[in-house]
Amino acid sequence: MEPRPFDELARARLSRRDILRGSAALAAAFTLPAGCATPRQADPSSLRFEGLGHGVDDRMHVAPGHSAQVVLAWGDAVLPGAPAFDVGAQTAASQRLQFGTENDFLAFVPLPLGSNSSTRGLLCANHEGSRLHMMMPGFDGEAEVLSRATRAQVDCEMSAQGHSVVEIVLVDGRWKPVAGSASNRRLDALHTVLRVSGPAAGSQRLRTREDPSGTRVVGTFNNCAGGVTPWGTVLVCEENVNKVFAGSARGTREERNHERMGVGAELEYAWAAHHERFVLERELNEANRHGWVVEYDPHDPSFEPVKRTSLGRFKHEGATCAVDPDGRVVVYMGDDDEDEHIYRWTSARPWNPNLRAANRDLLDDGVLHVARFHEDGTLEWLPLVHGHGLLDGGNGFESQADVLIEARAAATLVGATPMDRPEDVEANPRTGKVYAMLTNNTRRAAADAANPRARNKHGHVLELEPPRDAQGRARHAAERYAWDVFLLGGDPRDADQPGEYHPGIDAGGWLTCPDNCTFDPRGRLWIASDGGARVGIADGVWACDVDGEGRALTKRFFSAPVGAEVCGPCFTPDGSTLFVAVQHPGESDARGNSRGVHHGAPTSRFPDHDPALPPRSAVVALRRHDGGVLGG
Ligand code: FEO
Ligand code: CA
Ligand code: CA
Ligand code: CA
């Protein structure tokens, strides 16, 4: 079919929205000077703060009347015995006891267990990546790392990825980490042993010389976003795991699989030079042991983290949970790559709210589905089940393990819709509607209804609506949903790809490249971005209503320092603190150029701003000066 032009597709979708009523108000909004906060009369938004402008510098900024406090940064002490951060002497031994690099997903787990505390809890943070040329002296740039990194440097780097759990307490309006708390924990790529469970555990394709059983894996890494289960365990996602594998799988039985995951095609880390398991010619199956969702229990430091294969293997952005009225648990997941898919997993049985231990292996038994979006505004969840439809031996799927290991290939076979890099997909706990962040896809050749721009530079947000039961509750496990476009990223004045929001947004109200999202206690949507440098603006956090007169009226609440993306937005239960992760500050200029940028010459030295220290990724707590609920 001849692809329909963007205008026609956008009109078809946007006509279903009652809020985007025309361009007059939008044009008026943009007569205001850029970079200024713009208080307006009769603001239809329920969010009571003045939006920031789009300026970018080496500092972070939060809306007037708020504070931005650094809670934890790369190298801070986590476990008992952790040495103080010493930038000239970081080792694997010190790093495994300290907060990791490049913090991404954040969860705040109230303490004590089962409470609703907003003053004491566990901060759970992913560490998505590491850049040795920024962490350590001696590299002129990223390219040098591959050829020059030593074993000691690589091991330090591997110890800096993974995940951290740190107890934090609110004292006099400031969050303080409890270094050495018995609850604190680190997972990393070098030391942590994880169990493998579910249908792919023990598969021939997961077996290696180190692990002939195919059930025990060393390391979790490239941990992007995640989620929290209804029973309070944390889900840690493995995303760009392909970038550590060197060599080629050409001519082997894994050729199709590794090619689809980019394994062997995008080497970014020097790990394979010092660890043979990352060389494909030595260990063809190691790559199949990564790209999963990991579950661990933050309330039990002895809990062995487990890779839950039932949830499929791909580049997992996040894994956020919702509960169907019948008690079954649903996990929404994005696969962050161009033209990859949105997934949903449904548990086979209801979760047990009365007996926590009964949910221990609930994530091992369920059905993975993938989304097909129809032009008529419906969405179909297609099951990925061995023996169902084309998922059989004739197409290379001999078992459910094969379907899960190659979830991407299975999704294509059943007719899933290729999407514009799905990042967070998360249900609004107040309304039951589900929001999907599509960050961008400049490789998209032709627009379709759910991805209404070819070469999508700025990304968009979709709103998915499950059907309701008689009590009006969202049926998250239903086979069909409705869907709509919530907003299109980008500057509304952009001639090529104009953004679409509520017409009342102010000068700093438009965003680009939505990545992570969360909801405040009133169900309003807060979006973090990764990609502002494409258009010379700072990444940050925007908030908007999802219903009513202020729907899609995004306001900028936070701006990151130059070079950083913002990840992991997460509220305390009372909505008085928003935690955000400032990731890789100072690694490039305002236009994303990283040439000549390294440890000794960053573009920002956030958060210390000390000429003797490199930039450090950090968790930041955003609060109102009066301690009130953010957004009012
Ligand atoms: Fe790690 Fe999809 O961002
Ligand atoms: Ca990132
Ligand atoms: Ca992300
Ligand atoms: Ca991203």
Side-chain angles (χ1 to χ4, degrees):
M1 190 177 74
E2 187 70 14
R4 292 162 65 188
F6 163 73
D7 275 0
E8 192 185 335
L9 287 163
R11 259 198 310 278
R13 302 301 329 140
L14 298 176
S15 65
R16 300 180 62 229
R17 305 155 65 196
D18 57 4
I19 201 65
L20 300 166
R21 293 195 187 97
S23 58
L26 188 64
F30 281 92
T31 58
L32 294 160
C36 297
T38 52
R40 294 175 308 281
Q41 289 176 345
D43 181 354
S45 171
S46 74
L47 286 143
R48 300 267 73 87
F49 66 84
E50 276 182 31
L52 293 171
H54 276 318
V56 49
D57 60 21
D58 70 340
R59 309 276 161 150
M60 64 180 169
H61 302 275
V62 64
H66 298 78
S67 61
Q69 180 222 332
V70 174
V71 183
L72 279 158
W74 166 48
D76 286 353
V78 171
L79 294 178
F85 178 64
D86 179 348
V87 70
Q90 285 298 102
T91 64
S94 59
Q95 182 62 72
R96 70 182 297 195
L97 305 175
Q98 299 167 332
F99 198 66
T101 50
E102 306 206 2
N103 38 211
D104 197 295
F105 170 74
L106 303 175
F108 177 81
V109 178
L111 287 176
L113 172 61
S115 80
N116 225 20
S117 175
S118 291
T119 58
R120 182 173 163 238
L122 299 175
L123 187 71
C124 307
N126 277 352
H127 302 294
E128 181 184 27
S130 47
R131 289 161 168 79
L132 271 181
H133 72 291
M134 298 301 293
M135 293 170 71
M136 297 178 182
F139 302 101
D140 284 344
E142 201 163 8
E144 272 196 341
V145 169
L146 283 181
S147 57
R148 295 199 26 218
T150 65
R151 169 75 186 254
Q153 288 172 324
V154 161
D155 285 0
C156 179
E157 181 184 23
M158 290 175 69
S159 308
Q161 289 201 20
H163 188 84
S164 295
V165 182
V166 185
E167 183 177 345
I168 56 172
V169 290
L170 185 68
V171 180
D172 297 332
R174 291 182 66 80
W175 286 97
K176 294 191 187 331
V178 183
S181 160
S183 299
N184 291 1
R185 185 160 191 191
R186 277 299 319 279
L187 314 182
D188 69 45
L190 186 67
H191 305 94
T192 308
V193 177
L194 300 98
R195 185 165 67 88
V196 183
S197 73
S203 159
Q204 183 67 43
R205 298 173 71 183
L206 262 59
R207 296 180 195 172
T208 62
R209 275 175 291 182
E210 270 181 21
D211 172 31
S213 74
T215 60
R216 301 189 69 73
V217 176
V218 176
T220 183
F221 48 85
N222 296 104
N223 306 101
C224 193
V228 179
T229 64
W231 51 97
T233 58
V234 171
L235 303 179
V236 169
C237 293
E238 300 178 339
E239 192 194 33
N240 290 304
V241 294
N242 61 311
K243 297 181 180 182
V244 307
F245 293 94
S248 169
R250 200 160 305 130
T252 72
R253 63 182 151 69
E254 297 295 347
E255 180 172 356
R256 172 183 83 169
N257 172 31
H258 286 355
E259 187 176 309
R260 182 71 182 261
M261 281 287 282
V263 170
E266 292 179 79
L267 190 64
E268 256 187 27
Y269 296 96
W271 302 4
H274 303 288
H275 294 272
E276 279 191 342
R277 66 181 169 124
F278 300 124
V279 179
L280 295 171
E281 286 83 357
R282 297 285 301 175
E283 202 60 90
L284 188 62
N285 287 347
E286 183 65 26
N288 290 339
R289 294 148 62 84
H290 305 278
W292 302 101
V293 175
V294 172
E295 182 185 18
Y296 78 93
D297 187 349
H299 297 291
D300 178 3
S302 69
F303 183 99
E304 190 172 48
V306 52
K307 299 199 181 198
R308 299 287 186 194
T309 63
S310 182
L311 278 64
R313 174 175 168 269
F314 41 89
K315 292 189 183 178
H316 280 281
E317 171 73 21
T320 63
C321 297
V323 178
D324 190 87
D326 70 8
R328 280 183 294 163
V329 173
V330 165
V331 186
Y332 292 105
M333 301 176 283
D335 179 357
D336 181 7
D337 232 339
E338 286 93 350
D339 301 320
E340 292 299 341
H341 308 296
I342 291 176
Y343 294 83
R344 182 197 70 176
W345 181 91
T346 52
S347 65
R349 61 177 205 273
W351 79 286
N352 186 334
N354 304 313
L355 184 62
R356 196 161 181 261
N359 306 305
R360 194 172 177 91
D361 292 315
L362 190 120
L363 295 180
D364 283 341
D365 191 8
V367 178
L368 183 64
H369 302 79
V370 67
R372 175 154 62 195
F373 291 83
H374 295 283
E375 271 195 32
D376 65 359
T378 61
L379 180 171
E380 210 180 334
W381 290 109
L382 307 166
L384 299 179
V385 176
H386 179 248
H388 192 286
L390 296 169
L391 302 180
D392 58 18
N395 287 306
F397 300 99
E398 300 292 348
S399 64
Q400 185 63 16
D402 288 341
V403 170
L404 296 168
I405 291 167
E406 292 192 72
R408 286 178 163 189
T412 297
L413 262 184
V414 303
T417 304
M419 306 298 291
D420 288 350
R421 293 187 52 200
E423 303 250 33
D424 263 0
V425 183
E426 185 150 351
N428 186 331
R430 298 282 291 205
T431 68
K433 292 184 188 175
V434 179
Y435 294 80
M437 308 294 117
L438 287 309
T439 196
N440 59 65
N441 183 1
T442 50
R443 283 194 217 158
R444 172 174 292 279
D448 63 30
N451 301 275
R453 288 166 165 160
R455 299 174 305 285
N456 183 0
K457 290 184 292 191
H458 300 298
H460 56 292
V461 176
L462 295 181
E463 184 176 58
L464 320 181
E465 182 158 19
R468 308 276 163 172
D469 70 1
Q471 284 82 49
R473 297 174 299 179
R475 291 173 47 219
H476 289 283
E479 274 176 38
R480 276 184 181 264
Y481 288 13
W483 68 270
D484 207 343
V485 175
F486 182 72
L487 64 78
L488 298 178
D491 185 337
R493 298 164 299 181
D494 186 318
D496 178 29
Q497 294 189 3
E500 293 270 4
Y501 311 82
H502 186 291
I505 64 165
D506 66 19
W510 61 268
L511 58 96
T512 187
C513 303
D515 190 333
N516 299 130
C517 70
T518 194
F519 302 92
D520 66 23
R522 289 177 61 175
R524 296 173 298 196
L525 177 65
W526 297 65
I527 301 171
S529 76
D530 171 17
R534 289 164 176 248
V535 283
I537 67 171
D539 277 314
V541 176
W542 286 257
C544 66
D545 294 315
V546 292
D547 289 308
E549 286 298 306
R551 176 176 157 92
L553 200 168
T554 41
K555 293 183 179 186
R556 185 194 270 270
F557 182 66
F558 178 74
S559 286
V562 65
E565 66 176 284
V566 182
C567 313
C570 159
F571 282 96
T572 50
D574 67 359
S576 66
T577 297
L578 176 66
F579 296 103
V580 294
V582 173
Q583 189 185 143
H584 55 71
E587 66 145 24
S588 61
D589 68 15
R591 285 278 168 186
N593 175 21
S594 59
R595 223 170 324 129
V597 177
H598 54 76
H599 177 89
T603 55
S604 166
R605 292 185 186 274
F606 173 90
D608 308 284
H609 299 289
D610 177 339
L613 290 176
R616 299 192 292 157
S617 294
V619 177
V620 172
L622 306 172
R623 289 175 53 80
R624 258 168 59 173
H625 288 323
D626 64 5
V629 171
L630 296 179

